[in-house]
Amino acid sequence: MKKTLLLTLALLLTIPNLLAQSGKVYLVGAGPGDPDLVTVKGAKVLGKADVVLYDALANPSILLHCKGDVRLIPVGKRAGKPSPKQEEINQLLINEALKGNTVVRLKGGDPFVFGRGGEELLALLDKGIDTEVIPGVTAAIAAPAYAGIPVTHRALARSFTLVTASTKDSNLAESVKWKSLVEQEGTIAFYMGVRVIPEICQQLIKAGMSPDTPAAIISKGTLPEQKAFRGTLKDFTPNYTDYTKLTPGLLLVGEVVNVTENYQPSKDDNGMKVLSITLNRKVSELTPRIEDGVAVATTIASKDPDKYSNDYLEMLKELEFTHIVFSNTKSVEAYFKLCEVKGINVITPKATIITLGKKITDLLSTKGYNAITLGSYNEVASYLLGDKAKAMSSSVDAVTGASKKPKAH
């Protein structure tokens, strides 16, 4: 009896230690595609994550919010392509949290909108793991907005319904209550159903919806490649297009589709992705001059290879930067040392390399790289953006705002 009591007491004493050692999991919505649509809170937790398990639908540049030594684990789900089973993802989250890690499960759109975030939350809570949900912008709202389509309108649609066209048994006709959808007379958004759009349209018509009901297919929502194909239910036949080329996408049905027909939003960036390679600065002075006019502007400090995990560097490589900027010869030497240590070079053949001096250009030439030589960060910004570049005083640090000490001659 005494021995049993002692064992029970020992177990009770270890429970607080186990809980203290356990990490935390954040279920984070990455938004629909545009990296600027991730929430401020989502970006903050990415910045402190030790491990990130991310979807295929999350824009890779969102991962630039992560710290350099992060572990990145792709667990993305794409129709017709192999991916980890949901149970395996759940277990990965549990295992990493039990190691004491801060874990982010980065999910496309919103974690709880057809993202199986609810299943992950239940699995984590079942193991007593501290978990927090950070909502994200879902595609059914964001993609139509980028196309100038309001999903609700006082005169046209007083309800908004989200439907998944992805079914376990592939029997779409029986898995959706089509008559109920038609009777609501509002806007309907179909997720994960691009390949079966003709069948969806036929089922709606069969249930009593007019074949002339406006509809739109929105492909690659909120990305620079977004396209909206407007028509009616009767237009989207099997011969209309090769629907497989429109994924990821969604189908929007309702009178709101025709609220605006010629909406063309102006683009703030030109698609450029610019990487500044410094010696030890976390943020290059080039960034404030160009960040509002390019798709991506980021920095790596090359002096300490241990600051960056192989996962992070591979992610940078996959982003395929259009421009690489070196500010001094020391950063060149340090960067290629980093490449040697890590076995990864993020400079792709299509990238344009820019330097801030002939000595840097000459050094790169010895390593087999051609570069454009410019004289200052202002010149680089003007080269990239023309009149849209922000000109800043060379006597003030563009990042910190501190005055620079004059160089000794």
Side-chain angles (χ1 to χ4, degrees), residues 194 198 217 229 235-246:
V194 171
I217 303 169
F229 302 87
D235 293 328
F236 297 131
T237 64
N239 295 326
Y240 176 81
T241 188
D242 180 356
Y243 292 95
T244 61
K245 293 181 178 179
L246 302 183

Side-chain angles (χ1 to χ4, degrees), residues 113-173:
V113 179
F114 305 129
R116 304 185 76 169
E119 297 174 41
E120 292 170 355
L121 178 62
L122 288 174
L124 292 162
L125 295 179
D126 184 59
K127 298 297 182 182
I129 291 169
D130 188 11
T131 308
E132 184 175 343
V133 181
I134 299 177
V137 180
T138 190
I141 296 172
Y146 271 45
I149 302 173
V151 293
T152 63
H153 188 285
R154 187 167 56 174
L156 299 172
R158 302 183 70 86
S159 68
F160 177 44
T161 306
L162 309 184
V163 183
T164 175
S166 176
T167 61
K168 285 185 177 181
D169 57 8
S170 300
N171 191 342
L172 189 61

Side-chain angles (χ1 to χ4, degrees), residues 73 183 240 310 361 384:
I73 304 175
E183 289 168 0
Y240 176 81
N310 281 39
T361 300
L384 294 173

